[in-house]
Amino acid sequence: MIPVAEFKQFTEQQPALKVLKPWWDVLAEYLTVAMLMIGVFGCTLQVTQDKIICLPSHEPQENSSEAPCQQLLPRGVSEQMGGLREVRGLKNNLDLQQYSFINQLCYETALHWYAKYFPYLVVIHTLIFMVCTSFWFKFPGTSSKIEHFISILGKCFDSPWTTRALSEVSGENNKGPTTGRATVAMAATAGPGKAGEGEKEKVLAEPEKVVTEPPAVTLLDKKEGEQAKALFEKVKKFRVHVEEGDILYTMYIRQTVLKVCKFLAILVYNLVYVEKISFLVACRVETSEVTGYASFCCNHTKAHLFSKLAFCYISFVCVYGLTCLYTLYWLFHRPLKEYSFRSVREETGMGDIPDVKNDFAFMLHLIDQYDSLYSKRFAVFLSEVSESRLKQLNLNHEWTPEKLRQKLQRNARGRLELALCMLPGLPDTVFELSELEALRLEAICDITFPPGLSQLVHLQELSLLHSPARLPFSSQIFLRDRLKVIRVKCEELREVPLWVFGLRGLEELHLEGLFPPELARAATLESLRELKQLKVLSLRSNASKVPASVTDVAGHLQRLSLHNDGARLLALNSLKKLAVLRELELVACGLERIPHAIFSLGALQELDLKDNHLRSIEEILSFQHCRKLVTLRLWHNQIAYVPEHVRKLRSLEQLYLSHNKLETLPSQLGMCSGLRLLDVSHNGLRSLPPELGLLQNLQHLALSYNALEALPDELFFCRKLRTLLLDYNHLSQLSPQVGALRALSRLELKGNRLEGLPEELGNCGGLKKAGLLVEDTLYEGLPGEVREKMEEE
């Protein structure tokens, strides 16, 4: 006997693949098993029992045209085993070997091929049906996608996040629409189990079990959250991969068409040849010389059973064929290359679940034939809303309030600041830090401030650097009078949130971003009219003129900073309206002359024209109208000389002329008696006017990176000088009169041609070793008592 277990390998498949088998494939699978058992049973009988039994016929030679077995049948009765007539009195005189010879010979020559090979044909046909049914599970181009999909589907079905997301949505639907975000401690329903890592894929959980079992309420821990996060990434990548083609759909159609063709061929030829299975078989062979007989009447011992098995087999084939025809109807009647989650969106409330196409859609259609619950749970991982909720939960797990408090620092303004950079979202735990005064968010996408923002009662400063943020109306009301400083940095200024311009308690507004090409010339900003308390406005952009909305706050604006990144700023007449402006920065604005509008600013105290194209500053005389001007920064330009009427700026306290092209300084500079800081480093100065010694209030003098070969002795009359930077010049000696600078605390001399230092440096009581920057050899050349004095703390 051939045990049926030997054929188990032909039917073995991964149990998880059953979710891709609709009912007709399952029915066809059982039919093939039944047909295989018929074939195996027939083959077993064929091998273990005698095939045919023959007896010689005594009919005369002249009647050879008649069938040798007709005489055994009664008249008018068909050839049936029950109608045989017994023949008596005839002796054949044949031995056993002759009978065996005749049996084998007649079996090969007289028995019809269909009667001989029927069991084997059944087995072969059934195996072909099995191959056609499961070929797409084995074909390399499709099996990898199917296995990957089944693996992801099982993990999505079993993930605790799936149950939690659906439970939250169900709860929201029961309570009505809400605008708040899910809280950190919201309870979740655990799934039926976790997909094991590093193990073979297990059978997907039965959906009935999920529905009927009472849910266990638990919290989603950090590990489960990370696993769900990885599932979102896998689903995204898999979707992109399978939506590119339709090989699964095409392969399934091809194997179905092949099964239909095979079914028609088998059905036709079986119906034609089934009548060839006969119990009595006439055999005529030329063996008279061996046995003495040429005609034999044979009995096909298994014909009766085979005929019944054949009709049973044909019945199974017909049912199998009907399932194949229905499959073809299903394939071509419905648009299986498109799948809509409309019903899932309506049921779950996740309106952002996208529709899918091609092979992805086809597999989901097959899943629905098994159980639509799988598609519903799988859709959770196609929703960006669900993913954002999961990210939020993972963020809350990772950024606990204790961890956030460790990042708190005092910023330049002395406020307690929390800086978060490049996070996938904003942790809800931030809003538990009620002591927070400044919040800095950088490179964080899609921020939506929750109602918990109202817990930050001390928040005064907010920075959004490449972090677009949405603010609910309730939070706008909360921040409207509390927020004092806001910084917004984005690619284009039209991305600045509109709620920023409604913060009427705002005192400082810093905006950074480019105007789009169509708005660069107009420089259109949202109206600043509501910002009644605004005192500081900083704009870094590419505008060609001062934004018109600046005039909305002209009456109370005290500091204006325009950084134009090299783009030329042309229209500046609107600056005249800034009557109370104290500080003005026009950085990298492409200016070639000092704008005349500046001279109308009577309250101006500080002016910064850094990084422009200034070559001449003849207009400096007009600064005498700005009687309160104390700081003038003209650094990083191309200024070749300073005009003599600089002497008119008697109230000037700080003058920055570094990184220009100066070769000389006017002697009239010594008449700026109020000057406390003078920076002329990074120029081409070869000498200094002795009149600099008249600057009795000078405390800081920067002469680094010039070509000075000597210093005038009058320079050391500036008794209040505390910082003297002389590094990287051409000085060959330092005058002993440097000892007169008793207040000197910092002296830089590196990069010169000095051979030694005067011992009078010891008279500079405020100069210590840390404040003296010079080559080690020169320092070691000082007298020991001088060095000891400098090294004293």
Side-chain angles (χ1 to χ4, degrees), residues 99-131:
Y99 280 117
S100 178
F101 172 75
I102 294 300
N103 290 343
Q104 294 294 331
L105 188 60
C106 287
Y107 179 81
E108 297 296 334
T109 59
L111 192 62
H112 194 271
W113 63 268
Y114 183 80
K116 286 191 295 184
Y117 303 118
F118 166 73
Y120 307 109
L121 293 174
V122 172
V123 172
I124 294 173
H125 296 158
T126 305
L127 293 179
I128 293 176
F129 280 137
M130 289 181 174
V131 170

Short mmCIF file of all heavy atoms in Angstrom, two decimals, residues 99-131:
data_model
loop_
_atom_site.label_atom_id
_atom_site.label_comp_id
_atom_site.label_asym_id
_atom_site.label_seq_id
_atom_site.Cartn_x
_atom_site.Cartn_y
_atom_site.Cartn_z
N TYR A 99 -0.85 -19.40 -18.67
CA TYR A 99 -1.89 -18.46 -18.27
C TYR A 99 -1.29 -17.09 -17.89
O TYR A 99 -1.83 -16.03 -18.26
CB TYR A 99 -2.70 -19.01 -17.09
CG TYR A 99 -3.75 -20.00 -17.50
CD1 TYR A 99 -3.71 -21.32 -17.07
CD2 TYR A 99 -4.81 -19.58 -18.31
CE1 TYR A 99 -4.69 -22.22 -17.46
CE2 TYR A 99 -5.79 -20.49 -18.69
CZ TYR A 99 -5.74 -21.80 -18.28
OH TYR A 99 -6.69 -22.70 -18.65
N SER A 100 -0.18 -17.12 -17.13
CA SER A 100 0.46 -15.87 -16.73
C SER A 100 0.98 -15.10 -17.93
O SER A 100 0.84 -13.87 -18.02
CB SER A 100 1.61 -16.17 -15.75
OG SER A 100 2.26 -15.00 -15.38
N PHE A 101 1.49 -15.85 -18.90
CA PHE A 101 2.00 -15.21 -20.12
C PHE A 101 0.86 -14.54 -20.88
O PHE A 101 0.97 -13.39 -21.33
CB PHE A 101 2.70 -16.27 -20.97
CG PHE A 101 3.10 -15.76 -22.33
CD1 PHE A 101 4.17 -14.91 -22.49
CD2 PHE A 101 2.37 -16.12 -23.46
CE1 PHE A 101 4.52 -14.44 -23.74
CE2 PHE A 101 2.70 -15.65 -24.70
CZ PHE A 101 3.80 -14.80 -24.85
N ILE A 102 -0.23 -15.29 -21.03
CA ILE A 102 -1.38 -14.75 -21.77
C ILE A 102 -1.96 -13.54 -21.03
O ILE A 102 -2.33 -12.52 -21.65
CB ILE A 102 -2.44 -15.84 -21.96
CG1 ILE A 102 -1.91 -16.94 -22.88
CG2 ILE A 102 -3.73 -15.24 -22.54
CD1 ILE A 102 -1.51 -16.45 -24.25
N ASN A 103 -2.05 -13.61 -19.69
CA ASN A 103 -2.59 -12.48 -18.92
C ASN A 103 -1.79 -11.19 -19.17
O ASN A 103 -2.36 -10.11 -19.40
CB ASN A 103 -2.61 -12.79 -17.43
CG ASN A 103 -3.64 -13.85 -17.09
OD1 ASN A 103 -4.55 -14.13 -17.89
ND2 ASN A 103 -3.50 -14.47 -15.93
N GLN A 104 -0.46 -11.31 -19.11
CA GLN A 104 0.37 -10.13 -19.31
C GLN A 104 0.29 -9.63 -20.74
O GLN A 104 0.22 -8.42 -20.99
CB GLN A 104 1.83 -10.46 -18.95
CG GLN A 104 2.07 -10.77 -17.49
CD GLN A 104 1.82 -9.57 -16.61
OE1 GLN A 104 1.98 -8.44 -17.04
NE2 GLN A 104 1.36 -9.82 -15.38
N LEU A 105 0.28 -10.56 -21.68
CA LEU A 105 0.25 -10.17 -23.08
C LEU A 105 -1.07 -9.49 -23.44
O LEU A 105 -1.09 -8.45 -24.11
CB LEU A 105 0.49 -11.40 -23.97
CG LEU A 105 0.69 -11.12 -25.47
CD1 LEU A 105 1.91 -10.21 -25.68
CD2 LEU A 105 0.86 -12.41 -26.23
N CYS A 106 -2.15 -10.03 -22.99
CA CYS A 106 -3.45 -9.43 -23.28
C CYS A 106 -3.64 -8.10 -22.54
O CYS A 106 -4.32 -7.19 -23.03
CB CYS A 106 -4.58 -10.40 -22.90
SG CYS A 106 -4.73 -11.79 -24.04
N TYR A 107 -3.07 -7.97 -21.35
CA TYR A 107 -3.17 -6.71 -20.62
C TYR A 107 -2.50 -5.58 -21.39
O TYR A 107 -3.02 -4.46 -21.46
CB TYR A 107 -2.52 -6.86 -19.23
CG TYR A 107 -2.55 -5.59 -18.41
CD1 TYR A 107 -3.70 -5.25 -17.70
CD2 TYR A 107 -1.44 -4.75 -18.33
CE1 TYR A 107 -3.75 -4.09 -16.96
CE2 TYR A 107 -1.48 -3.59 -17.59
CZ TYR A 107 -2.63 -3.27 -16.90
OH TYR A 107 -2.67 -2.11 -16.16
N GLU A 108 -1.37 -5.90 -22.01
CA GLU A 108 -0.64 -4.87 -22.74
C GLU A 108 -1.23 -4.58 -24.11
O GLU A 108 -1.15 -3.45 -24.59
CB GLU A 108 0.83 -5.27 -22.88
CG GLU A 108 1.57 -5.40 -21.57
CD GLU A 108 1.67 -4.07 -20.85
OE1 GLU A 108 1.63 -3.01 -21.52
OE2 GLU A 108 1.77 -4.07 -19.61
N THR A 109 -1.84 -5.60 -24.75
CA THR A 109 -2.28 -5.40 -26.14
C THR A 109 -3.78 -5.17 -26.27
O THR A 109 -4.21 -4.39 -27.12
CB THR A 109 -1.88 -6.62 -26.98
OG1 THR A 109 -2.48 -7.80 -26.42
CG2 THR A 109 -0.36 -6.78 -27.02
N ALA A 110 -4.58 -5.84 -25.46
CA ALA A 110 -6.03 -5.78 -25.66
C ALA A 110 -6.71 -4.73 -24.77
O ALA A 110 -7.72 -4.14 -25.17
CB ALA A 110 -6.64 -7.15 -25.39
N LEU A 111 -6.19 -4.48 -23.56
CA LEU A 111 -6.85 -3.56 -22.64
C LEU A 111 -6.63 -2.12 -23.11
O LEU A 111 -5.51 -1.73 -23.45
CB LEU A 111 -6.32 -3.74 -21.21
CG LEU A 111 -7.11 -3.04 -20.12
CD1 LEU A 111 -8.53 -3.59 -20.04
CD2 LEU A 111 -6.42 -3.22 -18.77
N HIS A 112 -7.70 -1.29 -23.10
CA HIS A 112 -7.61 0.10 -23.55
C HIS A 112 -6.71 0.90 -22.59
O HIS A 112 -6.70 0.70 -21.39
CB HIS A 112 -9.02 0.72 -23.58
CG HIS A 112 -9.09 2.02 -24.31
ND1 HIS A 112 -8.88 3.22 -23.71
CD2 HIS A 112 -9.34 2.29 -25.62
CE1 HIS A 112 -8.99 4.21 -24.58
NE2 HIS A 112 -9.28 3.66 -25.76
N TRP A 113 -5.95 1.88 -23.18
CA TRP A 113 -5.00 2.64 -22.37
C TRP A 113 -5.68 3.40 -21.25
O TRP A 113 -5.11 3.58 -20.17
CB TRP A 113 -4.18 3.59 -23.23
CG TRP A 113 -5.01 4.67 -23.93
CD1 TRP A 113 -5.55 4.60 -25.16
CD2 TRP A 113 -5.37 5.94 -23.37
NE1 TRP A 113 -6.24 5.75 -25.45
CE2 TRP A 113 -6.13 6.60 -24.36
CE3 TRP A 113 -5.13 6.57 -22.16
CZ2 TRP A 113 -6.66 7.87 -24.16
CZ3 TRP A 113 -5.64 7.83 -21.97
CH2 TRP A 113 -6.41 8.49 -22.97
N TYR A 114 -6.89 3.85 -21.46
CA TYR A 114 -7.58 4.61 -20.42
C TYR A 114 -7.90 3.72 -19.22
O TYR A 114 -7.79 4.15 -18.07
CB TYR A 114 -8.87 5.22 -20.98
CG TYR A 114 -9.61 6.08 -19.99
CD1 TYR A 114 -9.20 7.39 -19.74
CD2 TYR A 114 -10.71 5.59 -19.30
CE1 TYR A 114 -9.88 8.19 -18.83
CE2 TYR A 114 -11.39 6.38 -18.39
CZ TYR A 114 -10.97 7.68 -18.16
OH TYR A 114 -11.64 8.46 -17.25
N ALA A 115 -8.30 2.48 -19.50
CA ALA A 115 -8.60 1.55 -18.41
C ALA A 115 -7.34 1.16 -17.65
O ALA A 115 -7.39 0.90 -16.44
CB ALA A 115 -9.29 0.30 -18.96
N LYS A 116 -6.20 1.10 -18.39
CA LYS A 116 -4.96 0.73 -17.73
C LYS A 116 -4.41 1.85 -16.86
O LYS A 116 -3.93 1.60 -15.75
CB LYS A 116 -3.91 0.35 -18.79
CG LYS A 116 -4.14 -1.00 -19.44
CD LYS A 116 -2.94 -1.42 -20.27
CE LYS A 116 -2.73 -0.48 -21.45
NZ LYS A 116 -1.60 -0.95 -22.31
N TYR A 117 -4.42 3.11 -17.36
CA TYR A 117 -3.72 4.21 -16.68
C TYR A 117 -4.65 5.20 -15.98
O TYR A 117 -4.21 6.27 -15.57
CB TYR A 117 -2.86 4.97 -17.70
CG TYR A 117 -1.88 4.09 -18.42
CD1 TYR A 117 -1.95 3.93 -19.81
CD2 TYR A 117 -0.89 3.41 -17.71
CE1 TYR A 117 -1.05 3.12 -20.46
CE2 TYR A 117 0.02 2.59 -18.37
CZ TYR A 117 -0.06 2.45 -19.75
OH TYR A 117 0.83 1.65 -20.40
N PHE A 118 -5.91 4.83 -15.83
CA PHE A 118 -6.85 5.75 -15.19
C PHE A 118 -6.37 6.23 -13.81
O PHE A 118 -6.39 7.45 -13.55
CB PHE A 118 -8.23 5.09 -15.09
CG PHE A 118 -9.17 5.79 -14.16
CD1 PHE A 118 -9.74 7.01 -14.52
CD2 PHE A 118 -9.47 5.27 -12.90
CE1 PHE A 118 -10.61 7.66 -13.65
CE2 PHE A 118 -10.32 5.92 -12.05
CZ PHE A 118 -10.89 7.12 -12.42
N PRO A 119 -5.94 5.38 -12.88
CA PRO A 119 -5.52 5.89 -11.56
C PRO A 119 -4.33 6.85 -11.67
O PRO A 119 -4.27 7.87 -10.96
CB PRO A 119 -5.16 4.63 -10.79
CG PRO A 119 -5.83 3.52 -11.51
CD PRO A 119 -5.84 3.91 -12.95
N TYR A 120 -3.38 6.51 -12.55
CA TYR A 120 -2.21 7.38 -12.68
C TYR A 120 -2.58 8.74 -13.28
O TYR A 120 -2.03 9.78 -12.91
CB TYR A 120 -1.15 6.69 -13.55
CG TYR A 120 -0.79 5.31 -13.07
CD1 TYR A 120 -1.17 4.17 -13.77
CD2 TYR A 120 -0.08 5.14 -11.87
CE1 TYR A 120 -0.83 2.90 -13.33
CE2 TYR A 120 0.26 3.87 -11.42
CZ TYR A 120 -0.13 2.76 -12.14
OH TYR A 120 0.21 1.51 -11.70
N LEU A 121 -3.51 8.71 -14.22
CA LEU A 121 -3.97 9.97 -14.81
C LEU A 121 -4.63 10.85 -13.76
O LEU A 121 -4.45 12.08 -13.74
CB LEU A 121 -4.95 9.69 -15.95
CG LEU A 121 -4.36 9.00 -17.19
CD1 LEU A 121 -5.48 8.67 -18.17
CD2 LEU A 121 -3.32 9.89 -17.85
N VAL A 122 -5.41 10.23 -12.89
CA VAL A 122 -6.07 11.00 -11.82
C VAL A 122 -5.03 11.67 -10.93
O VAL A 122 -5.14 12.86 -10.58
CB VAL A 122 -6.99 10.09 -11.00
CG1 VAL A 122 -7.53 10.83 -9.78
CG2 VAL A 122 -8.14 9.58 -11.86
N VAL A 123 -3.99 10.91 -10.56
CA VAL A 123 -2.94 11.49 -9.69
C VAL A 123 -2.22 12.63 -10.40
O VAL A 123 -1.98 13.70 -9.83
CB VAL A 123 -1.94 10.39 -9.27
CG1 VAL A 123 -0.75 10.99 -8.54
CG2 VAL A 123 -2.63 9.36 -8.38
N ILE A 124 -1.88 12.41 -11.67
CA ILE A 124 -1.16 13.45 -12.42
C ILE A 124 -2.01 14.70 -12.58
O ILE A 124 -1.55 15.83 -12.35
CB ILE A 124 -0.72 12.91 -13.80
CG1 ILE A 124 0.31 11.81 -13.61
CG2 ILE A 124 -0.17 14.04 -14.66
CD1 ILE A 124 0.69 11.10 -14.90
N HIS A 125 -3.28 14.54 -12.95
CA HIS A 125 -4.16 15.69 -13.11
C HIS A 125 -4.33 16.45 -11.80
O HIS A 125 -4.31 17.69 -11.77
CB HIS A 125 -5.53 15.24 -13.62
CG HIS A 125 -5.48 14.63 -14.98
ND1 HIS A 125 -6.46 13.79 -15.45
CD2 HIS A 125 -4.56 14.71 -15.98
CE1 HIS A 125 -6.15 13.39 -16.67
NE2 HIS A 125 -5.00 13.94 -17.01
N THR A 126 -4.47 15.70 -10.72
CA THR A 126 -4.67 16.34 -9.42
C THR A 126 -3.44 17.13 -9.01
O THR A 126 -3.54 18.25 -8.48
CB THR A 126 -5.00 15.28 -8.36
OG1 THR A 126 -6.14 14.52 -8.79
CG2 THR A 126 -5.31 15.95 -7.04
N LEU A 127 -2.26 16.55 -9.25
CA LEU A 127 -1.03 17.27 -8.92
C LEU A 127 -0.89 18.55 -9.74
O LEU A 127 -0.43 19.59 -9.24
CB LEU A 127 0.19 16.38 -9.13
CG LEU A 127 0.30 15.18 -8.18
CD1 LEU A 127 1.54 14.35 -8.51
CD2 LEU A 127 0.36 15.66 -6.73
N ILE A 128 -1.32 18.50 -11.00
CA ILE A 128 -1.29 19.71 -11.83
C ILE A 128 -2.24 20.76 -11.27
O ILE A 128 -1.92 21.95 -11.21
CB ILE A 128 -1.65 19.36 -13.29
CG1 ILE A 128 -0.54 18.47 -13.90
CG2 ILE A 128 -1.83 20.62 -14.11
CD1 ILE A 128 -0.86 18.00 -15.30
N PHE A 129 -3.43 20.32 -10.84
CA PHE A 129 -4.37 21.26 -10.23
C PHE A 129 -3.77 21.90 -8.98
O PHE A 129 -3.92 23.11 -8.74
CB PHE A 129 -5.67 20.55 -9.87
CG PHE A 129 -6.60 20.36 -11.03
CD1 PHE A 129 -7.27 19.15 -11.22
CD2 PHE A 129 -6.82 21.37 -11.95
CE1 PHE A 129 -8.13 18.98 -12.29
CE2 PHE A 129 -7.68 21.21 -13.02
CZ PHE A 129 -8.32 20.01 -13.20
N MET A 130 -3.09 21.07 -8.18
CA MET A 130 -2.48 21.60 -6.96
C MET A 130 -1.40 22.63 -7.27
O MET A 130 -1.28 23.68 -6.62
CB MET A 130 -1.90 20.46 -6.12
CG MET A 130 -2.93 19.57 -5.47
SD MET A 130 -2.16 18.26 -4.49
CE MET A 130 -3.61 17.52 -3.73
N VAL A 131 -0.59 22.31 -8.28
CA VAL A 131 0.46 23.25 -8.67
C VAL A 131 -0.14 24.55 -9.17
O VAL A 131 0.32 25.65 -8.84
CB VAL A 131 1.38 22.60 -9.72
CG1 VAL A 131 2.33 23.63 -10.31
CG2 VAL A 131 2.16 21.46 -9.11
#
